[in-house]
Structure formats: structure tokens, C-alpha cells
Amino acid sequence: MKKTKEKMLGIYRNVVAIRKFEMMAHEQYANGFLHGSVHLYAGEEGVAAGVCGGLNENDYITSTHRGHGHLIAKGGDLKLMMAELFGKATGYCNGKGGSMHICDMDLGILGSNGIVGAGLPIVVGAGFACKQFGKKQVAVCFFGDGAANRGTFHESLNLTATWKLPVIYALENNFYGISGSQRELTTVKELSVRAKAYDIPGFTVEGNDVMAVFESTCEAVERAREGKGPTLLEFKTWRHLGHWEGDPDTRLFIYREQKEHEEWLKKDPVILFRAALINEKFATAGELDAIDKKVQEEIDEAVEFAMDSPFPAIETLTENVYCL
């Protein structure tokens, strides 16, 4: 897939949309309009936007508890997403799934998931279906550094490697699983080296460099579509906010170091990608400003839609919950 102006500006739109959506969710949570567990993606936008920029609409993704960015980058509707976070009946899951369980099968979004690493076995099934259908589709599994230590990680890689399934593993390494540092929990510096155990390619990429994320994904996707099997891509990145809304770490720095946090903030993917697009003549500052403005309008409309939408009626309590 080529780095055309249209493609790059589309990815930029998604980077900005993810950041603005997450910061609005952060604000609305503080205002008391969002409830339950909310895990925001601010700071990691380069991974979702860069990876999904290398996919087709009929490709599949599995997501995580920190999944808003993946859903937006794959084409998720901002209004339906915001309404779901507000617990409204007009949301993706009629207000019953909340932040961690949004899905859109029509867009190939097989669901975000509150269980750590739950997308890893799901992507095996998706990859198997892609191979069986023979439509050159691929399936991407987003997961974190914590999930990379689960047995499902190894089982999933083993199966997809053995069957040469068209799967891309997008490992988002933000260095912390809740409050435990990845550096204290594993003996390897680069988690991508684990690919060697399954004789598949494994690469570590700067996750805040959107161009690098896009290029590495395109190579993995091409390999998968050619029937050569899976690739493990480790993207090193950093979340700007706490692990969950209410986590005091970013303010008090209970388990992360303030100096390291400040250094990562200097590598903000939104700022870096904007500068790269201007420097490489993909866009002017004015063009990017126009995208910023339009996205903000879409976010404001999404909040208004969510605010004006009704809560689920009590008589719908058991609807869309059980499958008979």
C-alpha cells in the first residue's frame, strides 16, 4: 500500500480523532457522565492509526480493554461510540457494553474485550476463516505487553504459525500492565524476539512514529496476503493518562517515573506525525488545521448525540444479552 496524500491525510484524521475523542471522554468522565471502567488510549494513537491504515475495510481486528483507538482507526462511528460510553440506547451495544465491549461486525471489528489477551485466540479463528474464504483478507490482533505473558499468546502464535494463517500481531508495549512494569516481569528487552520460537518474523518498531508503524504493517500484511503466515510487530509507545480513569499515577507518579513520562511526552505521535506530513510535503499546515477543526466538530456532535439519546428502557434489560 502506497503512502499517497489521500492515505496519509486519512491516517492523520484518525490520529487526531482518537486524541480528541479520548480527551473528551476524559473530560466527560470527570464530569460524571461516564461510568464503569474506562481505559483511554491517548498517547498511543500512532499504533492504531498506522496499523489500520494498512488494512482494507473487509479485514478484521480484535481489540482490547483500551480499544477506542482501534475502533476509530478501523472506521468506527464516533456518535455510536460516544453514546455507548454514555450508556445510551443508541450506542453500538445499546448502552449495555460500555467502553470495553464495543464491536462492529460490518467493519470487521470483532470486539474490544475486558479480558486481557482475549483477542489472541479469537484472531486464530478469524485468520482461519480468512484463509478458508480465500479472499486475501487478514486479521490483526491488538494486545498489550501484559497479554504477551499469557499462555494464550503462545498458543495463538503456535497455531497461526503452524497453519500459516494471515494474521498480524500488533503488540502495544506501553511498558506497564496496570502498575507492574514490563521490565520487571520479563527477561527479554524486546518482546518481538519471541517470534523466533515459532519461526515467524518479529520486529520492534517505534510506535509513536506513524510512518514506521504504517510501513511495517504494510509489509506484514503483504506477507500474510501472499500466504506466508503471521508476523509479530512490537510497537513501543506510552499512554499519557493513567491505566484507567481514576488512576492517580499521572498526577502523583506512584508507579511510573515523572522524568520518563516527560521524555515520552516529547515524542507525542500527534505532533510528530503532523510535522512529518508537512516536512515530507504531504500536506500544508492549513490543510491539517482544517482536518483538526472538522474532527473537533464531529466530536462535539458525538457528545451532543450521546447527551440527547435515551437510556435503555427497563423492559430491554435481558435483550441482546443472551444467545439462545
Side-chain angles (χ1 to χ4, degrees), residues 2 34-35 38 41 73 108 121 133 139-140 148 161 191 223 242 245 261 267 270 303 314:
K2 295 182 179 179
L34 273 60
H35 304 282
V38 177
Y41 197 71
F133 293 155
V140 174
L191 295 177
R223 181 176 185 276
E245 286 302 276
H261 180 66
K267 298 189 289 185
V270 179
V303 173
I314 189 67

Side-chain angles (χ1 to χ4, degrees), residues 1-3 7-8 11 41 44-56 59-61 70 73-74 136-143 165-172 201-226 229-236:
M1 193 173 290
K2 295 182 179 179
K3 292 193 294 183
K7 171 59 68 175
M8 291 298 102
I11 293 176
Y41 197 71
E44 303 182 25
E45 296 87 353
V47 179
V51 170
C52 290
L55 303 179
N56 295 332
D59 291 326
Y60 298 102
I61 67 167
H70 310 142
K74 193 60 170 64
K136 298 294 183 181
Q137 294 166 288
V138 302
V140 174
C141 178
F142 289 100
F143 62 105
L165 301 183
V167 169
I168 293 90
Y169 292 95
L171 198 175
E172 299 177 306
F203 304 98
T204 296
V205 181
E206 174 52 63
N208 287 11
D209 183 340
V210 183
M211 295 284 196
V213 174
F214 174 72
E215 291 168 357
S216 61
T217 300
C218 287
E219 291 177 7
V221 167
E222 182 179 2
R223 181 176 185 276
R225 294 201 202 281
E226 291 176 352
T231 299
L232 172 60
L233 298 174
E234 175 192 16
F235 299 108
K236 292 192 173 182

Side-chain angles (χ1 to χ4, degrees), residues 15-317:
V15 168
V16 173
I18 296 169
R19 174 63 58 86
K20 289 183 179 295
F21 185 95
E22 296 295 64
M23 297 315 296
M24 180 60 77
H26 179 67
E27 178 182 333
Q28 296 304 325
Y29 190 95
N31 290 338
F33 290 109
L34 273 60
H35 304 282
S37 294
V38 177
H39 305 78
L40 299 181
Y41 197 71
E44 303 182 25
E45 296 87 353
V47 179
V51 170
C52 290
L55 303 179
N56 295 332
E57 186 173 327
N58 67 341
D59 291 326
Y60 298 102
I61 67 167
T62 66
S63 185
T64 70
H65 59 280
R66 199 181 307 281
H68 305 162
H70 310 142
L71 308 179
I72 292 173
K74 193 60 170 64
D77 187 304
L78 298 179
K79 289 183 178 179
L80 302 186
M81 289 180 62
M82 191 67 75
E84 187 61 36
L85 266 62
F86 273 69
K88 297 301 185 70
T90 54
Y92 262 117
C93 301
N94 306 120
K96 299 176 182 178
S99 171
M100 294 192 289
H101 301 97
I102 299 173
C103 65
D104 187 335
M105 298 301 181
D106 292 336
L107 291 174
I109 299 171
L110 302 181
S112 49
N113 208 305
I115 301 173
V116 174
L120 289 160
I122 294 173
V123 84
V124 177
F128 184 77
C130 288
K131 187 171 183 178
Q132 290 295 100
F133 293 155
K135 296 181 180 179
K136 298 294 183 181
Q137 294 166 288
V138 302
V140 174
C141 178
F142 289 100
F143 62 105
D145 45 280
N149 290 331
R150 294 182 62 84
T152 48
F153 168 79
H154 299 281
E155 293 168 359
S156 183
L157 262 69
N158 184 61
L159 270 177
T160 57
T162 301
W163 294 341
K164 293 191 181 302
L165 301 183
V167 169
I168 293 90
Y169 292 95
L171 198 175
E172 299 177 306
N173 185 357
N174 63 22
F175 300 99
Y176 286 87
I178 306 183
S179 59
S181 171
Q182 176 255 326
R183 289 163 294 203
E184 300 171 344
L185 301 173
T186 61
T187 57
V188 292
K189 184 177 181 181
E190 311 290 349
L191 295 177
S192 61
V193 302
R194 292 179 173 176
K196 293 181 180 179
Y198 305 100
D199 195 25
I200 64 173
F203 304 98
T204 296
V205 181
E206 174 52 63
N208 287 11
D209 183 340
V210 183
M211 295 284 196
V213 174
F214 174 72
E215 291 168 357
S216 61
T217 300
C218 287
E219 291 177 7
V221 167
E222 182 179 2
R223 181 176 185 276
R225 294 201 202 281
E226 291 176 352
K228 297 180 181 178
T231 299
L232 172 60
L233 298 174
E234 175 192 16
F235 299 108
K236 292 192 173 182
T237 185
W238 190 261
R239 54 177 167 77
H240 287 185
L241 302 172
H243 177 76
W244 73 93
E245 286 302 276
D247 180 1
D249 174 67
T250 306
R251 179 168 50 87
L252 302 177
F253 294 99
I254 297 171
Y255 56 85
R256 295 195 299 182
E257 295 182 5
Q258 184 173 356
K259 183 178 180 181
E260 184 178 25
H261 180 66
E262 292 172 350
E263 287 300 313
W264 272 99
L265 291 182
K266 295 176 183 177
K267 298 189 289 185
D268 187 317
V270 179
I271 297 173
L272 294 179
F273 191 42
R274 179 185 174 92
L277 290 175
I278 294 173
N279 291 337
E280 297 186 30
K281 309 299 182 184
F282 281 109
T284 64
E287 289 175 309
L288 300 182
D289 288 342
I291 293 175
D292 294 349
K293 181 180 179 181
K294 187 172 189 308
V295 169
Q296 186 60 57
E297 292 172 352
E298 293 175 1
I299 297 296
D300 293 339
E301 291 172 1
V303 173
E304 183 178 0
F305 175 78
M307 289 281 195
D308 293 342
S309 295
F311 285 104
I314 189 67
E315 56 267 24
T316 67
L317 182 63

